[in-house]
Amino acid sequence: MELVTIDDVKAAADRVREWVVRTPLLPATWADPERPLWIKPENLQPIGAFKIRGAFNTLARLDEPVRARGVVAYSSGNHAQAVAYAARAYGVPAHIVMPEDTPEIKVEKTRSYGAEVVLCPVGKREEYADDLVEKTGAVLVPPFDHPDVIAGQGTAGLEIAYDLPDVEVVLIPVSGGGLASGIGTAIRALCPNARIYGVEPELAADTTEGLAAGHRVNWSVEDRNRTIADGLRSQPSDLTFAHLQKVIDGMITVTEDEIREAIRVLAHKSHLVAEPSGATTMAAYLKGAAVPGRTVAVVSGGNINPQMLADVLTA
């Protein structure tokens, strides 16, 4: 299996530069001075999440006649918005399949970019997307299981390496594994002494179990859907799992209460709105789960349901 390289990530950075915000590393002045912390706020992207990176790189790599037929994606929300946003930028149709339990804010935002949203029963996303590809002739843009998507997400890792070349610890949320695969590839190449940790909710810790076992494991949709971190309910593919085995030094799991506390800390101390999935890395930092050192926590997204945010902040 051919893995994404640092050259692939650098090429992706050139393709997406026009569309993607180069998010800064924000110093957390309130953090433990023995564990200096910088936050990579991907919630500040135009669609509120890192997924814009992989979407634009993938669409940019399509031949123009293929791209003109339109794109299909399936997602619980952030990849949906990213593909819809990128399709609008290129002036091509987008058909997005989203589970019926997707937070309404993510469905509304996806539609606001001009995409046709198709809601489906939980666990049927891929099936519905395949039907749309057959009916429309559009091309599928998967949420993580594609080299161009991984390379695009890895551009965030390039930025971390350029902005903090002596980084010692990088914390990355893991779901399907595209973000951790891409960032891990960039950090491993440019900051070889850094430790890279994936972070998962305890209630969706299939990657943690799989890496410990040396092979992918399957958790039921019902089990994974227990976590409030709706963006971390997917499982790695063969492609992303192979990347994770190569670039991840360890996995950290966090509880639902730790995720909620991390959302509060990010809001009150760093003035950032994070969705549960994006706050998992902060939860890992707060519990002191990683080795000490200059740490970057990737806050992957900020598309949280307003009522959930209000409930968490007032708890």
Side-chain angles (χ1 to χ4, degrees), residues 157-233:
L158 276 187
E159 295 168 10
I160 293 170
Y162 293 155
D163 290 347
L164 191 68
D166 58 350
V167 63
E168 294 174 281
V169 179
V170 182
L171 304 174
I172 314 165
V174 174
S175 181
L179 181 64
S181 295
I183 291 180
T185 296
I187 296 297
R188 186 62 67 227
L190 301 179
C191 307
N193 294 323
R195 302 277 293 176
I196 303 169
Y197 292 91
V199 185
E200 284 184 310
E202 285 185 0
L203 297 182
D206 52 281
T207 301
T208 301
E209 183 181 328
L211 288 176
H215 57 82
R216 289 198 303 144
V217 299
N218 183 55
W219 283 35
S220 71
V221 172
E222 292 75 20
D223 280 347
R224 288 180 274 126
N225 281 5
R226 294 174 298 166
T227 179
I228 61 169
D230 59 282
L232 301 185
R233 293 171 178 169

Side-chain angles (χ1 to χ4, degrees), residues 139-158:
V139 62
L140 179 68
V141 181
F144 50 84
D145 188 26
H146 195 287
D148 293 338
V149 174
I150 294 171
Q153 318 305 24
T155 59
L158 276 187

Side-chain angles (χ1 to χ4, degrees), residues 22-42:
R22 192 190 191 287
T23 55
L25 288 184
L26 302 177
T29 56
W30 49 266
D32 181 349
E34 294 185 3
R35 295 189 299 136
L37 174 67
W38 287 261
I39 297 168
K40 180 68 168 170
E42 287 295 289

Side-chain angles (χ1 to χ4, degrees), residues 73-113:
Y74 55 87
S75 166
S76 62
N78 288 333
H79 179 64
Q81 292 175 66
V83 172
Y85 184 85
R88 185 178 72 174
Y90 277 105
V92 301
H95 311 272
I96 312 294
V97 178
M98 307 181 80
E100 293 168 341
D101 62 350
T102 300
E104 186 60 27
I105 186 173
K106 294 184 178 182
V107 175
E108 291 175 358
K109 284 188 176 180
T110 303
R111 287 187 174 130
S112 77
Y113 299 130

